[in-house]
Amino acid sequence: LGNLTLHDVAREANVSHTTVSFVLKGDPRISAATAERVLAVVKRLGYVPNEMARCLAKGCTSTIALVSPTFSTAYESELLRGIEETMASKHPDYVLVHYSTAGGQERAEALWKQMLRGNRADGFICLSDPPSQSLRQDFAKSRKALVLLDDHIEDTCCIRGDGRLGAQLATEHLLQQGSRRLAIVTSITSEQNQPRCNPERLETFRDICRKSGLEPGHLTVNHYHPDAGKELVSSILRHAWDGIFCAAGDMVSAGIIAGCRLHGVAIPDKLRLIGYDDLPLASLIAPSLTTISQPLFEMGKAAVERCFSLIETRETESPKHIKFDARLIQREST
Amino acid sequence: LGNLTLHDVAREANVSHTTVSFVLKGDPRISAATAERVLAVVKRLGYVPNEMARCLAKGCTSTIALVSPTFSTAYESELLRGIEETMASKHPDYVLVHYSTAGGQERAEALWKQMLRGNRADGFICLSDPPSQSLRQDFAKSRKALVLLDDHIEDTCCIRGDGRLGAQLATEHLLQQGSRRLAIVTSITSEQNQPRCNPERLETFRDICRKSGLEPGHLTVNHYHPDAGKELVSSILRHAWDGIFCAAGDMVSAGIIAGCRLHGVAIPDKLRLIGYDDLPLASLIAPSLTTISQPLFEMGKAAVERCFSLIETRETESPKHIKFDARLIQREST
DNA sequence: CTGAAAGCGCTTACAG
DNA sequence: CTGAAAGCGCTTACAG
């Protein structure tokens, strides 16, 4: 509706619309003089190509899609920053768009199909539950790049933190500090697009406990919110746990601390607590939170880089898995 | 590349590709029997229409764009939730995509043009600095819906919290509690896509201070991070402020509290502090934070609703400004 | 150095 | 009740 097209520019510049198209993509066949004239018209008219038409004709999109379970996750903040900044600095010509799979398994599946078949992006960076296997095959077929974060599926490129190391550091630290009744807090793996649990952390925790002759406890939450942590406290008291590895993250940990204050449970004297992620929050609450830190910014950067290397080389070789370090940040809660 | 098209479905179902298109959009002209047959083929083949082609042909996109200064802002979390959930429940047929204007004024401007002229969405919900006036005129011309959050530009539809009320509640509360040396903390309005300052909060704070015969102080931060708050503390001590209204939000407030602990400043005895936003954080830190709460979820919902009413009615009448309430949540910091 | 033509995969009057 | 045809705004061999 009143939108400028290539033809408007062409008419104004007295060339064919093909020439305008060539100028815009910098084709060397067009003489400098013509190019300059066309560019001047483009600028004067404020012409911007219609992306839809361009994509349809070219078959690719110049956009990368970031797919996460929700738009509003605090813990991913650094990860997103890594992704954003790497995109902006290394691939300024690409647009990064963010999709949320919120709304249940079915919606998520439909969204993946939309994105994939609707040809909405050239590459996909996924923080959500990974697409199903048949969808992944579609990805491979359609030669779209797919990078999974915090996951480990053999047939797909994955970037993740070292959950085994993180859990090991946390569990051994609790033992060292003298805790003997240990429990882990994880989120629940579920169909409903709810938080999922990192199995590496859980397994490692259990292994180490059992090797030490202890029976590991297991508590679960179904969302990453302080309230979920608060609600855990009565159960923690009932079982008399004295060391909690909150693999569900710092937000839930903060809730546990708040709940303990309400119930008069002294941290770290009666209960030691370790979180995961090292959010800014961790050093602000009282007592401050011992936690496992991952290089989230770097991981985001790596995801973008892998994504583009998949796009550029169209590798078909076995997908690379990249694992990042984890370290323990000790604070007052242990 | 090997992607299914309407023609593949048509061939398989022994109809014309027009018929398939009609079936897909539920045109009543197609008999139930034919429709069923076609739908079965669609399902069997796993056909999904190419969005790019569809958009090009239709001229609209079935997508709403959310535009924010970064993907990773904690304070907007509830706002985003309101937007997301309203989209998912009320407009499941639409796709919500999130763009970030991070990377400076120029990139932002280019992105707006891309989005607008590239025809990437039918409606835009903006949490960033608003597009320039000329861009806004382009929006009007191209009949794209534009809704601004937390802004107040006459020619455009805006959803915002009541900054005057919030500032009034905060300032009067500080005075009531006995503070006499008041300062406000705001972020900086800048070209660089950095945090911007809400002028209503600043003006109201100053007015009330002056009416009470006090000279208002003004501190600024350039990002919404606890560290920025921490750095403010030495300046706070130097000026001996005893009441701070941190209009820059709870994250910065949390940093001020942390900084005060380091410097041994007792809150609220020596310094009273009020934040803005009522993040989960506010009740978790120690001392817990008195703050101004806005109905962020509702505001997000309203933004989506306004956006669709603009799309549906294509109103040309004067744009509506909607203002939401603010209330004071008193906790330990005052 | 430049242009006419076909095609990307859809939608939608229009005709039968 | 169904189909042939034009068109959405680009790109890109191909021809001149």
Side-chain angles (χ1 to χ4, degrees):
Chain A
L1 337 164
N3 266 351
L4 293 167
T5 74
L6 220 40
H7 295 89
D8 299 317
V9 178
R11 193 180 320 118
E12 198 76 10
N14 265 315
V15 292
S16 81
H17 79 284
T18 310
T19 303
V20 179
S21 178
F22 280 3
V23 170
L24 254 24
K25 70 176 261 203
D27 192 296
R29 281 176 284 181
I30 307 297
S31 71
T34 310
E36 206 170 317
R37 186 155 44 92
V38 170
L39 254 14
V41 174
V42 165
K43 185 155 188 190
R44 181 157 57 77
L45 263 38
Y47 169 75
V48 179
N50 181 319
E51 280 304 317
M52 300 296 166
R54 167 176 272 179
C55 292
L56 182 56
K58 287 207 311 185
C60 67
T61 65
S62 292
T63 109
I64 300 293
L66 178 62
V67 185
S68 63
T70 157
F71 286 155
S72 46
T73 335
Y75 105 94
E76 286 158 347
S77 161
E78 275 301 292
L79 198 59
L80 297 183
R81 229 171 45 77
I83 292 171
E84 253 187 290
E85 293 195 2
T86 309
M87 284 292 301
S89 63
K90 299 280 179 64
H91 304 279
D93 44 325
Y94 270 72
V95 172
L96 179 65
V97 315
H98 191 171
Y99 290 87
S100 151
T101 55
Q105 185 78 5
E106 276 170 44
R107 253 185 87 75
E109 188 90 4
L111 182 64
W112 277 114
K113 277 190 189 144
Q114 270 256 347
M115 293 187 295
L116 177 58
R117 292 285 352 275
N119 199 24
R120 283 178 175 270
D122 299 340
F124 295 80
I125 297 175
C126 173
L127 314 189
S128 295
D129 285 323
S132 64
Q133 200 191 355
S134 80
L135 235 22
R136 274 180 272 134
Q137 285 169 351
D138 289 349
F139 267 95
K141 259 188 246 159
S142 62
R143 334 194 100 242
K144 300 277 186 195
L146 175 62
V147 176
L148 267 29
L149 269 155
D150 203 20
D151 220 304
H152 44 288
I153 287 182
E154 274 315 315
D155 60 17
T156 307
C157 176
C158 297
I159 310 281
R160 60 196 170 103
D162 191 336
R164 293 201 186 287
L165 178 58
Q168 184 190 337
L169 290 170
T171 315
E172 289 179 347
H173 179 68
L174 287 173
L175 290 170
Q176 264 166 29
Q177 300 291 314
S179 292
R180 281 300 170 269
R181 296 190 48 77
L182 302 192
I184 187 170
V185 179
T186 72
S187 51
I188 287 169
T189 310
S190 94
E191 280 73 345
Q192 300 293 32
N193 226 66
Q194 293 188 12
R196 50 191 173 130
C197 148
N198 180 316
E200 290 190 334
R201 298 183 198 167
L202 181 57
E203 279 168 21
T204 304
F205 170 78
R206 285 179 163 160
D207 286 354
I208 296 178
C209 282
R210 290 189 178 129
K211 271 183 202 141
S212 311
L214 304 174
E215 189 52 35
H218 187 186
L219 303 164
T220 60
V221 293
N222 56 21
H223 59 304
Y224 296 120
H225 193 278
D227 290 342
K230 263 188 206 166
E231 285 163 17
L232 248 32
V233 173
S234 58
S235 164
I236 291 174
L237 290 176
R238 202 161 47 244
H239 291 88
W241 305 118
D242 65 2
I244 300 276
F245 169 36
C246 185
D250 288 352
M251 270 297 183
V252 175
S253 303
I256 295 177
I257 289 181
C260 284
R261 190 162 42 213
L262 287 179
H263 286 80
V265 181
I267 295 178
D269 298 342
K270 287 288 179 187
L271 177 68
R272 292 184 188 85
L273 177 65
I274 301 188
Y276 220 105
D277 295 334
D278 196 26
L279 301 185
L281 176 82
S283 59
L284 296 172
I285 55 182
S288 60
L289 182 67
T290 297
T291 190
I292 304 294
S293 159
Q294 304 180 90
L296 291 171
F297 186 92
E298 294 303 318
M299 289 164 70
K301 187 175 168 195
V304 172
E305 284 167 355
R306 284 298 292 148
C307 190
F308 276 92
S309 80
L310 285 173
I311 290 175
E312 280 152 17
T313 68
R314 302 199 164 285
E315 313 171 25
T316 57
E317 33 176 306
S318 62
K320 277 204 203 76
H321 282 214
I322 308 181
K323 196 151 76 173
F324 281 81
D325 211 19
R327 39 195 201 100
L328 180 84
I329 313 284
Q330 185 173 5
R331 296 202 181 89
E332 296 164 358
S333 71
T334 54
Chain B
L1 338 163
N3 266 350
L4 293 168
T5 74
L6 220 40
H7 295 88
D8 299 316
V9 178
R11 193 180 320 117
E12 198 76 9
N14 265 313
V15 292
S16 79
H17 79 284
T18 310
T19 303
V20 178
S21 178
F22 279 4
V23 169
L24 254 24
K25 69 176 262 204
D27 192 298
R29 280 176 285 181
I30 308 296
S31 69
T34 310
E36 207 170 315
R37 188 155 43 94
V38 171
L39 254 15
V41 174
V42 165
K43 187 157 188 189
R44 180 156 57 79
L45 263 40
Y47 169 74
V48 180
N50 181 318
E51 280 304 316
M52 301 296 167
R54 168 176 271 179
C55 292
L56 183 55
K58 287 208 310 184
C60 67
T61 64
S62 294
T63 108
I64 300 294
L66 179 62
V67 185
S68 62
T70 159
F71 285 154
S72 46
T73 335
Y75 105 93
E76 286 159 349
S77 162
E78 276 300 292
L79 199 58
L80 297 183
R81 231 172 42 78
I83 292 171
E84 254 187 291
E85 293 195 1
T86 308
M87 284 292 299
S89 63
K90 299 280 179 65
H91 304 278
D93 43 324
Y94 269 73
V95 172
L96 179 64
V97 316
H98 191 171
Y99 291 86
S100 151
T101 55
Q105 184 78 3
E106 275 170 44
R107 253 184 87 75
E109 188 89 2
L111 182 63
W112 278 113
K113 276 190 191 143
Q114 270 256 348
M115 293 188 294
L116 177 58
R117 290 285 354 272
N119 199 24
R120 283 176 175 270
D122 299 339
F124 296 80
I125 297 175
C126 173
L127 314 190
S128 295
D129 285 325
S132 66
Q133 200 191 356
S134 80
L135 234 24
R136 274 180 273 134
Q137 285 169 351
D138 289 349
F139 267 96
K141 259 188 244 158
S142 63
R143 333 194 100 242
K144 299 277 188 197
L146 175 62
V147 176
L148 266 31
L149 269 156
D150 205 18
D151 220 305
H152 43 286
I153 287 182
E154 274 313 314
D155 61 17
T156 306
C157 176
C158 297
I159 310 282
R160 60 194 169 104
D162 189 338
R164 293 202 185 287
L165 178 58
Q168 185 190 336
L169 290 171
T171 315
E172 289 179 348
H173 179 68
L174 287 173
L175 290 171
Q176 265 167 28
Q177 300 289 316
S179 293
R180 281 299 171 271
R181 294 191 50 77
L182 303 193
I184 188 171
V185 178
T186 72
S187 50
I188 287 169
T189 310
S190 94
E191 278 74 346
Q192 299 292 34
N193 227 65
Q194 291 189 13
R196 50 190 171 129
C197 149
N198 180 317
E200 290 191 333
R201 297 183 198 168
L202 181 56
E203 280 167 20
T204 304
F205 170 78
R206 285 179 164 162
D207 286 353
I208 296 178
C209 282
R210 289 187 180 132
K211 271 184 202 142
S212 311
L214 304 174
E215 190 51 35
H218 187 187
L219 303 164
T220 60
V221 293
N222 56 19
H223 58 303
Y224 295 120
H225 193 277
D227 290 343
K230 263 188 207 167
E231 285 163 16
L232 249 31
V233 172
S234 59
S235 164
I236 291 173
L237 289 176
R238 202 161 48 244
H239 291 87
W241 305 118
D242 65 2
I244 300 275
F245 170 36
C246 185
D250 289 352
M251 270 297 184
V252 176
S253 304
I256 294 177
I257 288 181
C260 283
R261 191 162 42 212
L262 287 178
H263 286 79
V265 181
I267 295 178
D269 298 342
K270 286 289 178 188
L271 177 68
R272 293 185 188 84
L273 177 64
I274 301 188
Y276 220 105
D277 295 336
D278 195 26
L279 300 185
L281 176 81
S283 58
L284 296 172
I285 56 182
S288 59
L289 182 66
T290 297
T291 190
I292 304 293
S293 159
Q294 305 180 88
L296 292 170
F297 187 92
E298 294 304 317
M299 290 165 70
K301 187 176 166 194
V304 172
E305 284 167 357
R306 284 299 293 150
C307 190
F308 276 93
S309 79
L310 285 173
I311 290 175
E312 281 154 16
T313 68
R314 302 199 165 286
E315 314 171 24
T316 59
E317 32 177 308
S318 62
K320 277 204 203 78
H321 282 215
I322 308 182
K323 196 152 75 173
F324 280 81
D325 210 19
R327 48 201 191 92
L328 180 84
I329 312 283
Q330 185 173 6
R331 296 202 181 88
E332 296 164 358
S333 71
T334 53

